[in-house]
């Protein structure tokens, strides 16, 4: 109804609406998910690199924080 009406604080800064706050939160969540996926890809690449040096899956799991099963599964995929 009054989409033109905005609240402001003492410094004349606009106070975000609930829709704006929700949008910002969704953006933060999406960015966090993207960073988590990137970090996971990096850990998997490190595991592959370590395997190429001859390191055993148990050692790779210890270094990367992955489980031995995850490492074996990762190394089984081409």
């Amino acid at each position: 109804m009054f989409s033109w009406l905005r609240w402001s604080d003492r410094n004349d800064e606009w106070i975000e609406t609930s829709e704006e706050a929700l949008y910002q939160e969704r953006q933060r969540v999406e960015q966090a998910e993207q960073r988590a996926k990137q970090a996971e890809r990096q850990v998997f690449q490190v595991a592959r690199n370590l395997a190429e040096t001859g390191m055993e899956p148990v050692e790779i799991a210890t270094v990367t924080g992955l489980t031995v099963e995850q490492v074996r599964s990762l190394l089984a995929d081409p």
Side-chain angles (χ1 to χ4, degrees), residues 28-67:
R28 282 191 285 273
V29 168
E30 184 178 313
Q31 290 171 355
E33 288 171 352
Q34 290 173 357
R35 286 190 303 270
K37 288 177 184 178
Q38 177 63 26
E40 183 180 61
R41 285 191 295 269
Q42 289 174 337
V43 168
F44 289 166
Q45 186 58 52
V46 166
R48 287 186 195 97
N49 293 346
L50 291 173
E52 288 177 6
T53 69
M55 189 178 279
E56 294 296 320
V58 173
E59 295 171 309
I60 295 171
T62 301
V63 171
T64 60
L66 298 171
T67 65

